[in-house]
């Protein structure tokens, strides 16, 4: 059996990841780490969230930092502020037992830029950023990225679908000089990503794919329940009642729908918080913290707000409505069954939506089972 040590990971890091429950390398880690620890290489990783991507690129990046220099040596780009904060936290935890002090900063929209500029004035080796905020900082001349050796594009397909195409081009052009490496991670490979690969990456970049043939984590059980508009909330309540001790996220399509369902669940005595884009950043962080530390059992959220968030041990994801876009199904269901566990992704649909279930099955190469509540 492969170990992190045999992949080339240093002892100090192994001790800290073991404490986080990361003991046996996941598929993406097993395949990517030996390549990324090499001197210089571009890299393409086809993997969805929940597969251990952060450690797969994060550990090699930490190994490459030269702490004798106080320059920014690595950039990690990720689509949402929640993901950026999560990656920063993970990297910080990985360094708990390392002898060298490596400094990581997170920059993202929604927080005062002055504060982030001040933080960047301290020694910073790794910057984790949303593309928009990073471009702001580059254009203002408030970040020096001339020494960057490695650029990671995490969830590249998501960054593009959120409209960050121009920003990515700007960042990749600005860092293109010299021999920096680009590591691209994506769950899917739409044409726009292929173009980025072609323009900015080495033609022979190694390419690794996990969970071949499906962009959906194989540990997820997919189910659907036929219901009506009138009965839907009651059916969801019955589902939650049956799984008293379990935790999960309920996805809604709209911000108003999210708030309304959250209020209804609270009124029925369920410990629930809402997360949607119209809420203040501080409020969103408060809800996320409460959900992560288990003072909230359920989260009701829109697609964008809960994208990519990593909360351990969620037993289920509920689709109050099926998502607008196919790829959202992959991202929603990927909130459960993380780190090798299993989980349920259950959709509450109207009878006319069975067609949509068939479509998702076919497109994502997964199987749904109809269940009764
Ligand atoms: P990620 O895909 O990086 O967001 O990781 C998803 C979750 O899996 C995180 O909570 C990680 O701590 C956990 N994880 C990552 N790698 C492993 C591993 N090799 N074994 C068990 N859990 C892991």
């Amino acid at each position: 059996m492969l170990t992190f040590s045999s992949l080339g990971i240093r002892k100090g890091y192994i001790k800290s990841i073991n404490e986080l429950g990361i003991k046996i390398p996941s598929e993406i880690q097993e395949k990517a780490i030996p390549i990324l620890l090499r001197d210089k290489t571009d890299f393409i990783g086809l993997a969805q969230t929940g597969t251990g991507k952060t450690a797969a690129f994060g550990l090699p990046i930490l190994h490459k930092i030269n702490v004798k220099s106080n320059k920014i040596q690595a950039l990690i780009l990720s689509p949402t502020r929640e993901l950026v904060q999560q990656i920063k936290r993970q990297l910080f935890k990985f360094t708990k037992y390392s002898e060298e002090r490596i400094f990581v900063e997170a920059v993202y929209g929604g927080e005062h830029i002055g504060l982030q500029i001040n933080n960047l004035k301290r020694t910073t080796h790794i910057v984790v950023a949303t593309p928009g905020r990073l471009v702001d900082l580059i254009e203002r001349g408030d970040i020096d990225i001339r020494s960057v050796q490695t650029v990671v594009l995490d969830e590249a397909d998501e960054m593009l679908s959120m409209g960050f195409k121009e920003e990515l081009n700007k960042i990749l052009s600005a860092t293109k000089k010299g021999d920096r490496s680009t590591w691209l991670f994506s769950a899917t490979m739409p044409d726009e990503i292929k173009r980025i690969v072609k323009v900015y990456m080495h033609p022979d970049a190694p390419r690794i794919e996990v969970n071949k043939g499906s962009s959906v984590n194989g540990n997820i059980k997919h189910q659907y329940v036929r219901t009506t508009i009138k009965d839907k909330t009651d059916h969801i309540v019955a589902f939650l009642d049956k799984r008293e001790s379990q935790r999960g996220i309920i996805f809604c399509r709209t911000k108003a729908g999210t708030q309304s369902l959250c209020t209804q669940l609270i009124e029925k005595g369920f410990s629930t918080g809402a997360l949607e884009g119209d809420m203040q950043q501080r409020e969103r962080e408060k809800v996320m913290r409460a959900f992560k530390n288990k003072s909230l059992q359920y989260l009701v959220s829109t697609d964008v707000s809960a994208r990519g968030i990593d909360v351990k041990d969620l037993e289920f994801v509920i689709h109050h409505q099926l998502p607008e876009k196919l790829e959202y199904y992959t991202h929603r269901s990927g909130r459960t069954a993380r780190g090798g566990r299993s989980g349920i992704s259950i959709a509450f649909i109207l009878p006319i939506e069975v067609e949509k279930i068939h479509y998702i099955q076919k497109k994502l190469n997964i199987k749904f089972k109809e269940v009764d509540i």
Side-chain angles (χ1 to χ4, degrees), residues 4 20-29 48-57 83 86 90 94 155 308 310-312 335 338-340:
F4 281 102
L20 298 170
I22 305 179
K23 295 185 174 147
I24 300 161
S26 68
E27 190 182 352
I28 184 80
Q29 290 159 358
Q48 52 280 20
T49 57
T51 51
K53 255 185 316 143
T54 316
F57 64 73
L83 271 175
Q86 187 173 293
Q90 285 262 78
F94 292 168
E155 313 237 341
D310 179 31
V311 179
K312 281 217 162 54
R335 297 313 103 224
R338 299 177 73 76

Side-chain angles (χ1 to χ4, degrees), residues 5 15 44 58 101 111 113 126-127 155 161 197 202 234 237 246 271 278 285 311 317 343 355:
S5 168
K15 187 166 174 195
I44 300 162
R101 298 256 291 158
E111 190 187 73
I113 196 163
I126 303 172
V127 170
E155 313 237 341
S161 77
V197 169
H202 196 278
D234 287 343
V237 165
Q246 300 188 353
S271 153
D278 281 350
E285 283 177 12
V311 179
V317 166
E355 277 298 310

Side-chain angles (χ1 to χ4, degrees), residues 3 22 25 60 73 91 101 147 155 168 193 205 258 284 319 344:
T3 60
I22 305 179
Q73 296 159 49
L91 294 180
R101 298 256 291 158
S147 301
E155 313 237 341
L168 288 185
I193 304 269
T258 299
R284 289 167 51 155
H319 308 263
I344 292 174

Side-chain angles (χ1 to χ4, degrees), residues 222-223 232 236 249-252 303 317-323 328-330 332-333 344-349 368:
H222 305 274
Q223 303 180 340
K232 198 181 269 194
I236 290 179
I249 302 183
I250 306 164
F251 281 96
C252 293
D303 283 286
V317 166
I318 293 177
H319 308 263
H320 183 264
Q321 295 107 8
L322 285 169
Y328 287 1
Y329 187 85
T330 307
R332 284 181 174 189
S333 58
I344 292 174
S345 165
I346 182 165
F348 287 76
I349 64 162
F368 274 88

Side-chain angles (χ1 to χ4, degrees), residues 103-329:
F103 296 98
V104 186
E105 276 308 331
V107 299
Y108 44 85
E111 190 187 73
H112 204 281
I113 196 163
L115 204 73
Q116 295 174 356
I117 292 170
N118 270 340
N119 289 347
L120 287 172
K121 287 186 181 137
R122 307 178 295 198
T123 294
T124 304
H125 298 117
I126 303 172
V127 170
V128 193
T130 50
R133 179 51 61 95
L134 184 64
V135 166
D136 280 353
L137 290 164
I138 295 173
E139 287 179 346
R140 295 167 62 124
D142 284 318
I143 187 168
D144 179 4
I145 52 172
R146 283 172 300 179
S147 301
V148 166
Q149 303 284 318
T150 314
V151 177
V152 180
L153 306 178
D154 185 32
E155 313 237 341
D157 50 352
E158 273 304 290
M159 290 198 279
L160 286 174
S161 77
M162 288 177 73
F164 285 132
K165 180 174 156 191
E166 212 175 297
E167 285 82 356
L168 288 185
N169 279 313
K170 277 188 185 156
I171 295 164
L172 290 168
S173 308
T175 54
K176 196 168 184 216
K177 295 166 202 83
D179 51 358
R180 70 116 162 82
S181 308
T182 307
W183 302 349
L184 180 144
F185 289 86
S186 196
T188 56
M189 267 286 158
D191 287 343
E192 275 303 325
I193 304 269
K194 290 187 188 138
R195 201 191 68 82
I196 287 187
V197 169
K198 207 165 154 204
V199 177
Y200 297 105
M201 296 175 66
H202 196 278
D204 299 327
R207 190 182 165 128
I208 295 300
E209 185 171 353
V210 299
N211 257 342
K212 257 202 169 100
S214 172
S215 60
V216 178
N217 175 342
N219 291 335
I220 303 169
K221 277 197 200 110
H222 305 274
Q223 303 180 340
Y224 70 92
V225 179
R226 277 180 225 238
T227 179
T228 59
I229 293 177
K230 193 171 122 286
D231 293 332
K232 198 181 269 194
T233 306
D234 287 343
H235 278 152
I236 290 179
V237 165
F239 176 88
L240 298 180
D241 269 338
K242 227 167 69 180
R243 299 165 174 272
E244 242 174 343
S245 60
Q246 300 188 353
R247 288 158 46 75
I249 302 183
I250 306 164
F251 281 96
C252 293
R253 273 201 195 180
T254 64
K255 295 166 187 170
T258 299
Q259 290 294 358
S260 147
L261 181 63
C262 180
T263 308
Q264 290 180 62
L265 291 178
I266 291 171
E267 279 167 2
K268 290 182 192 297
F270 293 98
S271 153
T272 315
L275 198 66
E276 42 88 356
D278 281 350
M279 289 162 61
Q280 294 285 327
Q281 168 78 355
R282 199 176 299 162
E283 191 60 23
R284 289 167 51 155
E285 283 177 12
K286 202 170 124 196
V287 171
M288 266 319 296
R289 251 197 321 276
F291 187 53
K292 282 194 172 183
N293 72 25
K294 304 194 178 174
S295 28
L296 282 177
Q297 190 172 358
Y298 311 107
L299 189 68
V300 187
S301 177
T302 53
D303 283 286
V304 174
S305 293
R307 188 169 297 170
I309 57 172
D310 179 31
V311 179
K312 281 217 162 54
D313 307 335
L314 294 186
E315 279 93 354
F316 59 83
V317 166
I318 293 177
H319 308 263
H320 183 264
Q321 295 107 8
L322 285 169
E324 229 166 289
K325 295 188 188 165
L326 187 66
E327 70 254 31
Y328 287 1
Y329 187 85

